[in-house]
Every structure is written in structure tokens, then in C-alpha cells.
């Protein structure tokens, strides 16, 4: 656990010092059917990548809100990313099949996307513009439990982008379950 926290801090500091690379595509196997999937950031107002878990109650409590946002903001592309190495393929597939999300969820093999983006918890959202630059990263809301949130960070960012305004949030605190990376198992 301690080594994982040290690794995460080093990763975050290195991204701040060197500047995060542009992310123009995300790829991984679709958790529902195992087929390779590549999501590109071009041709959409923005791409919303949200790290999700099959067993984290905080992640599950935000799924209804994410479905609403995906339905409401059709000019935006949504993708879920599953990085938890301590969740089996069977339980992951079962959870996301029953969740009926309106967007694909890709498997993050060896936590490469979690490491590259600096994702710490589920849910943890990242909004990328069509060029792959990060516009926002952080919590979907300001609560562990989506329905009890007072602040809807991700929704406010999408409202701003839809209206052609600069995002009022650049980052927000991500609250939820820690992502169990492959190298920490």
C-alpha cells in the first residue's frame, strides 16, 4: 500500500513537472465482449474518460448520473475505463452488463491508462478536448455517493463546453475507492 502511494505521488509530480502528454486515443479490450476497442478524441466536442470499478460502491453510485450525462450530451464521447487488477473478468463483465451504461467500458491492461492519466480512485473523470489536451480531471461530483452530491463537477464542465465557454473547473477532488494497480497486487 505504501509503495503504491509513493509511486502515485512520483507519477503525479512527474506529470506536473514534465507536462502531461496529449491523449488522442484510448484503447483496450471491451469488458463486455473482449473485442479490441480504440476511442479517438477527434470528431467530438470532448471525450470523457471515467475510471470505474465493478465492486466499488462509490463508482456504482455515480453510474446513473453518468448515463444521464451521456444521454444529455450526445456531442461528447464517453468511455469507461476499468483498471482494478483485484476484480476478476467475470465480476467486471457481470457488473457492467447489468449497469447498462450508454458507453463502452474498456479494460486497462496493466493499469497503463490509470498510470498515464494519474487516475487514483473510482470514479475519476478526465475530459479531453479533440486535440487530446486535458480540460478537467477529478471527481464526477463532490461526494462519495453520487445522488447526495452538492457539486456536480463533471456536469458543470460539460455545460460550459456545450455553451462554448472555458471550463469553470480544471480539477476537482476525486472521492471513491482506490484503484488497485497490477503492480500492487
Amino acid at each position: 500500500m505504501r509503495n503504491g502511494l509513493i509511486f502515485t505521488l512520483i507519477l503525479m509530480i512527474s506529470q506536473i513537472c514534465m507536462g502531461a502528454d496529449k491523449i488522442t486515443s484510448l484503447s483496450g479490450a471491451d469488458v463486455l465482449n473482449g473485442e479490441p476497442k480504440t476511442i479517438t478524441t477527434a470528431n467530438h466536442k470532448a471525450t470523457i474518460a471515467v475510471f470505474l470499478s465493478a465492486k466499488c460502491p462509490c463508482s456504482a453510485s455515480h453510474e446513473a448520473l453518468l448515463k444521464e450525462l451521456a444521454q444529455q450530451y450526445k456531442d461528447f464521447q464517453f468511455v469507461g475505463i476499468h483498471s482494478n487488477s483485484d476484480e476478476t473478468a467475470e465480476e467486471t463483465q457481470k457488473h457492467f452488463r447489468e449497469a447498462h451504461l450508454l458507453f463502452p467500458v474498456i479494460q486497462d491492461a496493466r493499469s497503463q491508462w490509470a498510470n498515464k492519466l494519474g487516475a487514483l480512485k473510482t470514479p475519476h473523470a478526465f475530459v479531453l478536448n479533440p486535440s487530446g489536451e486535458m480540460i478537467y480531471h477529478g471527481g464526477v461530483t463532490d461526494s462519495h455517493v453520487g445522488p447526495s452530491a452538492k457539486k456536480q463537477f463533471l456536469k458543470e464542465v460539460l455545460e460550459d463546453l456545450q455553451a462554448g465557454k472555458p471550463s469553470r473547473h480544471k480539477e476537482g477532488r476525486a472521492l471513491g475507492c482506490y484503484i488497485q494497480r497490477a503492480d500492487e497486487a
Side-chain angles (χ1 to χ4, degrees):
M1 175 80 173
R2 183 171 180 219
N3 288 341
L5 290 174
I6 291 170
F7 170 78
T8 301
L9 287 172
I10 291 169
L11 176 69
M12 290 173 59
I13 291 168
S14 68
Q15 284 181 339
I16 291 168
C17 293
M18 298 185 318
D21 293 335
K22 290 182 179 182
I23 309 276
T24 56
S25 67
L26 297 159
S27 59
D30 187 304
V31 298
L32 295 181
N33 60 25
E35 295 289 322
K37 189 157 213 61
T38 299
I39 308 295
T40 58
T41 59
N43 303 321
H44 298 278
K45 283 191 176 183
T47 297
I48 296 83
V50 183
F51 286 80
L52 300 169
S53 167
K55 65 182 185 182
C56 173
C58 305
S59 179
S61 77
H62 285 81
E63 289 172 354
L65 174 61
L66 291 169
K67 284 195 274 190
E68 287 174 28
L69 292 174
Q71 183 68 33
Q72 183 176 359
Y73 294 96
K74 294 184 187 253
D75 293 341
F76 296 83
Q77 174 176 231
F78 287 74
V79 60
I81 302 176
H82 179 266
S83 298
N84 289 336
S85 65
D86 62 338
E87 297 174 7
T88 67
E90 293 78 22
E91 71 184 325
T92 299
Q93 186 178 58
K94 180 181 186 300
H95 173 80
F96 289 111
R97 188 173 312 284
E98 291 172 358
H100 301 289
L101 297 175
L102 303 176
F103 49 86
V105 178
I106 59 172
Q107 184 62 44
D108 182 15
R110 296 177 310 280
S111 307
Q112 71 177 23
W113 293 118
N115 292 338
K116 185 164 183 88
L117 289 165
L120 301 175
K121 299 183 177 184
T122 58
H124 197 158
F126 295 81
V127 179
L128 307 169
N129 72 11
S131 314
E133 297 168 316
M134 193 178 308
I135 299 169
Y136 170 79
H137 70 90
V140 174
T141 68
D142 68 346
S143 176
H144 290 89
V145 182
S148 67
K150 291 180 177 73
K151 195 93 167 139
Q152 302 280 330
F153 294 129
L154 183 57
K155 183 176 183 175
E156 291 173 1
V157 169
L158 298 181
E159 287 171 352
D160 291 343
L161 295 175
Q162 184 74 21
K165 299 180 195 174
S167 173
R168 67 186 105 167
H169 305 290
K170 301 293 182 215
E171 61 185 75
R173 184 174 175 202
L175 300 170
C177 304
Y178 182 70
I179 294 173
Q180 180 69 46
R181 285 170 162 71
D183 57 355
E184 298 170 345

